Amino acid sequence: MPRYSRRMQQEGYHLAELNLGILKYDWEDPRVQDFVNGLDLVNAAAMRSPGFVWMMASDEMEFEQTSDTGNMGANPRMASTLSVWESMAQLEHLERHGDSDHAFG
């Protein structure tokens, strides 16, 4: 099996990214509201970006994160996304530069 560096990607494959975090405070806590209020903006910027393929819907991800029958441990402070990209380079470009309307600030 060939080895690939972070920057190499085998042709014909996509990159799946699981972005996983645990909030220090509950979702409703005022100390995390700037983060919570920015999620739709950040996700919309990702979905408009070159190389974006798919993202798990927020209601599905919430179930996987918080439900006792979900796959991610039923943690009420879990914050995560699962997305698919055409290439690592396109995902890295979004992370470094945002999208064309400067959604990341």
Side-chain angles (χ1 to χ4, degrees), residues 1 7 9 23-24 37 53 55 57 61 64 73 94 96:
M1 178 180 226
R7 300 224 181 262
Q9 180 176 332
L23 298 176
K24 187 173 182 178
N37 293 337
V53 176
M55 180 182 288
M61 184 56 79
E64 295 299 336
L94 173 68
R96 281 192 309 272

Side-chain angles (χ1 to χ4, degrees), residues 23-102:
L23 298 176
K24 187 173 182 178
Y25 307 102
D26 292 338
W27 282 90
E28 299 79 22
D29 191 294
R31 292 170 286 190
V32 297
Q33 287 313 294
D34 286 344
F35 170 78
V36 172
N37 293 337
L39 289 174
D40 288 341
L41 183 66
V42 171
N43 288 339
M47 289 184 230
R48 288 192 303 269
S49 296
F52 175 83
V53 176
W54 173 86
M55 180 182 288
M56 181 178 272
S58 59
D59 58 333
E60 293 176 71
M61 184 56 79
E62 182 177 351
F63 171 82
E64 295 299 336
Q65 295 173 153
T66 61
S67 172
D68 289 335
T69 58
N71 291 310
M72 299 178 78
N75 186 331
R77 291 185 178 168
M78 178 86 55
S80 60
T81 58
L82 176 61
S83 57
V84 176
W85 295 83
E86 290 177 359
S87 73
M88 174 69 88
Q90 289 168 314
L91 175 59
E92 287 177 338
H93 185 270
L94 173 68
E95 290 172 350
R96 281 192 309 272
H97 305 289
D99 75 345
S100 60
D101 65 3
H102 306 288

